[in-house]
Amino acid sequence: MAAAVNPFSLLRGPLRVGAWATIKASKEGLCISPSHPILQNAPRFRRTMCSVGSTNNEEAIAKVAAASADSGAPTIFDKIIAKEIPSTIVYEDEKVLAFRDINPQAPVHVVVIPKSRDGLTQLGKAEERHGDILGHLLYAAKLVAEKEGIVDGFRVVINNGPAACQSVYHIHLHVLGGRQLKWPPG
Amino acid sequence: MAAAVNPFSLLRGPLRVGAWATIKASKEGLCISPSHPILQNAPRFRRTMCSVGSTNNEEAIAKVAAASADSGAPTIFDKIIAKEIPSTIVYEDEKVLAFRDINPQAPVHVVVIPKSRDGLTQLGKAEERHGDILGHLLYAAKLVAEKEGIVDGFRVVINNGPAACQSVYHIHLHVLGGRQLKWPPG
């Protein structure tokens, strides 16, 4: 079975995000409804969060996910690491796990994560002591590209914060390939 | 002065790329003319390589650059490291150099490179021994984001091969921010 990289892709009912909003998945895509009175009265929020379609909801998801970015709460990746949620694992060693993105943006689209988050909710939280795991994540991305037959043409992307569409606050590398990738990169 | 990240941006006359093609910069952008008879008679090549405009020539540049990817020849980055070509340096330490991309794709667009290439023409050439420098490159990308005031929203991109628009065969990380970055990442 495919991995649920998108934190809301396994959503069966409405999900309350802190005190701020309720997210509900539908065939039309994702609808994010403000729960907090401040947001209910904010036309800009409503326009931003509810007008996105299913193919372009990463920005909206990222904005909501950022609200609890620093909570330190477990993410869906913890359940994938614990194999409580099934995923298609492409590569695994004692430090990292790589699995297919459930919403692939290229014929090959794999997500590489550290098994221990260790404070790395995002790259922007990196300290010098994280050098080893950061280097191993990039090396693992290369191993994934080899295993997937795209080592001659692939792109690695790391999103940090809502402006870059980060939707899970557990550092992760996207490895994309199998088609001509464009410039600019988003 | 701005850095010449694009390997052809300092081009003053035609440049012969192996036996395959000649590249000529003009105000209209980049024109890549096939020199080899096989390519001269290949309509697809001509269409692909010569129809690109100045704002979207990364794919064409990357295809030509790949022809000499494994030559081990010095790249324009060696001249930037040696300060023989001026660049706007954003961050520097004993292992890495970060400077502004001369063709920025976002309000902040910085390139981070190792001062010693050490076989890393691209991420696909990484060996386990490269873990330290790979980790330090990512940590330096975070330091760059902090210095540039985009640590809450930035994207790191590594292109590998022509399918990902790699145009210089000395591993480099793009750090982009200062605007909403889209999904997919190219």
Side-chain angles (χ1 to χ4, degrees):
Chain A
M1 286 181 67
V5 171
N6 178 319
F8 307 118
S9 57
L10 291 178
L11 206 62
R12 286 192 176 79
L15 173 68
R16 195 171 166 84
V17 182
W20 298 96
T22 302
I23 302 171
K24 191 174 178 181
S26 75
K27 285 182 181 173
E28 289 69 42
L30 199 77
C31 186
I32 305 170
S33 309
S35 314
H36 195 285
I38 291 174
L39 296 179
Q40 284 173 344
N41 294 322
R44 189 169 174 279
F45 175 91
R46 294 166 65 94
R47 191 172 59 248
T48 304
M49 304 304 261
C50 289
S51 65
V52 291
S54 59
T55 59
N56 188 24
N57 58 26
E58 291 296 324
E59 287 178 40
I61 291 170
K63 286 189 175 90
V64 175
S68 56
D70 291 324
S71 70
T75 75
I76 196 166
F77 288 170
D78 292 290
K79 289 185 183 295
I80 291 175
I81 293 165
K83 316 262 166 100
E84 293 169 15
I85 292 177
S87 69
T88 305
I89 295 173
V90 173
Y91 173 78
E92 181 174 12
D93 63 28
E94 72 277 12
K95 293 179 188 168
V96 305
L97 185 69
F99 50 91
R100 296 199 193 287
D101 195 307
I102 200 171
N103 189 18
Q105 304 297 317
V108 174
H109 186 170
V110 173
V111 174
V112 187
I113 64 173
K115 287 185 174 177
S116 169
R117 186 168 62 176
D118 189 24
L120 283 175
T121 50
Q122 55 191 157
L123 181 57
K125 294 289 190 296
E127 300 171 15
E128 205 160 359
R129 69 185 176 88
H130 290 118
D132 283 353
I133 188 62
L134 292 174
H136 191 64
L137 284 166
L138 278 181
Y139 179 63
K142 176 260 187 168
L143 295 178
V144 165
E146 278 180 340
K147 288 191 81 163
E148 294 290 304
I150 56 166
V151 75
D152 290 335
F154 66 98
R155 176 171 291 170
V156 172
V157 177
I158 304 173
N159 295 327
N160 191 100
C165 294
Q166 182 178 4
S167 56
V168 180
Y169 280 80
H170 181 133
I171 191 171
H172 52 288
L173 284 62
H174 295 269
V175 181
L176 302 110
R179 67 168 170 84
Q180 177 64 54
L181 295 153
K182 304 297 181 184
W183 200 250
Chain B
M1 284 181 67
V5 171
N6 179 316
F8 306 117
S9 57
L10 292 178
L11 206 63
R12 286 191 176 79
L15 173 68
R16 195 169 167 85
V17 182
W20 298 94
T22 303
I23 303 172
K24 190 174 180 182
S26 75
K27 285 182 182 174
E28 291 69 41
L30 199 77
C31 185
I32 304 171
S33 308
S35 313
H36 195 286
I38 291 175
L39 296 178
Q40 284 172 344
N41 293 323
R44 189 169 175 279
F45 175 92
R46 294 166 67 93
R47 192 171 60 247
T48 303
M49 304 303 261
C50 292
S51 65
V52 291
S54 58
T55 58
N56 188 26
N57 58 26
E58 292 295 324
E59 286 178 41
I61 291 170
K63 286 190 174 88
V64 176
S68 56
D70 290 325
S71 70
T75 75
I76 196 165
F77 288 170
D78 291 290
K79 291 185 182 295
I80 290 175
I81 292 164
K83 316 263 166 98
E84 293 169 15
I85 291 177
S87 67
T88 305
I89 295 173
V90 172
Y91 173 79
E92 182 174 12
D93 62 28
E94 72 278 12
K95 294 179 188 168
V96 304
L97 185 69
F99 50 91
R100 295 198 193 288
D101 195 307
I102 202 171
N103 188 18
Q105 304 297 317
V108 174
H109 186 169
V110 173
V111 174
V112 187
I113 63 173
K115 286 185 174 178
S116 170
R117 185 168 63 175
D118 188 25
L120 283 174
T121 49
Q122 55 190 157
L123 181 58
K125 294 290 191 295
E127 300 170 16
E128 204 160 1
R129 69 184 177 87
H130 290 118
D132 283 353
I133 187 63
L134 293 174
H136 191 63
L137 284 165
L138 278 182
Y139 180 63
K142 176 261 188 166
L143 295 178
V144 165
E146 278 181 337
K147 290 190 81 164
E148 294 291 303
I150 57 166
V151 75
D152 290 334
F154 67 98
R155 177 172 290 170
V156 173
V157 176
I158 304 173
N159 295 327
N160 191 100
C165 293
Q166 182 178 5
S167 55
V168 180
Y169 280 79
H170 181 134
I171 191 171
H172 52 290
L173 284 61
H174 295 269
V175 181
L176 303 109
R179 67 168 171 85
Q180 177 64 54
L181 294 154
K182 305 297 181 186
W183 200 250

